[in-house]
Amino acid sequence: ANKSSTCISKHAYFDRLLGQNGLLEGAMSHATYRFGMFGRYRSAHVECSMGAQGRDGATLTTASAIDELKPKAVLVLGIAFGIDREKQKLGDVIVAETVFPYELAKVAVTITPRGQPLPCGAILSERFRTRRADWSLARGAELVAVHQGPLLSGAKLVNNKQFRDNLLLFCPTTLGGEMEGEGAYAAAARAGSEIILVKRICDWADGQKNDRAQPFAARAAVSLANHVLSKLSVLDALGAKDIAPPAKTILLEPEHQ
């Protein structure tokens, strides 16, 4: 692997490995990885293209990463849309207890959902539910909230309120929706790997989508995931060895840039 000292915000919580001056960067057969510490664990970061489909989509990227790296746990971090403006706010975090694919359906006079919910890992589910109580992130005078439950997933970039509301037919209790979870969860289920999706609400998919909330929303999801994985022995049950974090030399991008 080659050393990478590029300061980019997506790696703001990704620390160097002990003895290294920066993140390690290298390509294996299918993808480029950045290696470092996330919380108390040696971790690898890999990017996929938007959605689950395609040669660089979440399905094949997750499958390849599991095959090449044999990870003890997989975290899917990104952005999602919310559903309920009264109970949710921009920047709130959704932890996907289950992902419900909405693309698979029978279309006749009515639409009949045919997708089956894909569950997250049992250990990761419990850890994100019970180890986040002392996490907080300010949003003005308020604190970011965490919602854990079902999440819709499909190939469409949704920005239409009627279409969004029609998706409730597939999963009436959904907390929102996104595009990568169905592929990542399916790949992890086939490989028998623990996985969990942690995404932040950046819009309402109601025809008024914009990017203004994305920078703060990105910070919220990664901050929560890093907090949980910073707990002592939190992934012992998965056979993951935790390591005392090194002195903080995190590759941060200045907030004013």
Side-chain angles (χ1 to χ4, degrees):
N2 299 316
K3 293 182 180 180
S4 170
S5 57
T6 305
C7 295
I8 49 178
S9 58
K10 70 180 70 175
H11 295 137
Y13 288 87
F14 207 39
D15 206 354
R16 61 176 176 82
L17 292 167
L18 187 63
Q20 300 296 329
N21 295 324
L23 301 183
L24 298 179
E25 179 180 272
M28 298 182 74
S29 59
H30 292 288
T32 295
Y33 301 94
R34 277 85 183 183
F35 299 93
M37 293 288 295
F38 191 67
R40 302 182 71 89
Y41 297 93
R42 294 188 182 94
S43 303
H45 173 257
V46 63
E47 298 181 44
C48 69
S49 59
M50 183 182 293
Q53 303 175 18
R55 65 182 182 182
D56 295 317
T59 306
L60 295 181
T61 299
T62 303
S64 292
I66 291 173
D67 180 62
E68 292 173 348
L69 302 179
K70 305 295 189 295
K72 303 297 184 182
V74 179
L75 275 66
V76 182
L77 307 178
I79 57 176
F81 66 80
I83 288 288
D84 191 338
R85 287 176 179 263
E86 294 184 2
K87 297 180 179 180
Q88 302 169 326
K89 294 188 177 180
L90 295 178
D92 280 358
V93 178
I94 295 175
V95 179
E97 191 73 19
T98 56
V99 167
F100 201 105
Y102 66 77
E103 298 288 356
L104 188 60
K106 178 182 179 181
V107 180
V109 177
T110 59
I111 299 177
T112 305
R114 291 285 181 89
Q116 296 296 320
L118 299 164
C120 70
I123 299 298
L124 290 174
S125 169
E126 194 277 340
R127 301 300 187 265
F128 272 83
R129 188 174 63 254
T130 64
R131 306 297 181 94
R132 68 176 190 240
D134 56 345
W135 175 77
S136 64
L137 183 65
R139 178 182 47 214
E142 302 177 329
L143 294 177
V144 171
V146 181
H147 311 271
Q148 190 159 345
L151 191 65
L152 287 162
S153 187
K156 296 176 177 63
L157 179 63
V158 181
N159 191 29
N160 179 280
K161 186 177 184 301
Q162 182 176 350
F163 183 85
R164 183 204 69 184
D165 291 346
N166 288 340
L167 291 178
L168 296 178
L169 170 68
F170 293 80
C171 183
T173 59
T174 187
L175 297 172
E178 54 81 69
M179 301 175 68
E180 291 76 34
E182 62 169 334
Y185 272 43
R190 172 62 65 89
S193 298
E194 284 254 342
I195 190 169
I196 199 162
L197 181 149
V198 183
K199 292 203 172 184
R200 56 280 184 182
I201 298 175
C202 68
D203 63 71
W204 306 105
D206 58 359
Q208 302 180 46
K209 182 186 290 288
N210 61 66
D211 298 335
R212 289 194 299 269
Q214 288 190 12
F216 177 80
R219 178 187 173 197
V222 180
S223 172
L224 173 63
N226 181 74
H227 178 84
V228 172
L229 266 65
S230 294
K231 300 286 187 176
L232 183 65
S233 302
V234 71
L235 298 182
D236 267 8
L238 298 179
K241 181 180 179 182
D242 63 320
I243 302 170
K248 284 297 180 183
T249 57
I250 300 176
L251 305 178
L252 287 171
E253 180 181 74
E255 292 185 359
H256 64 272
Q257 290 187 352

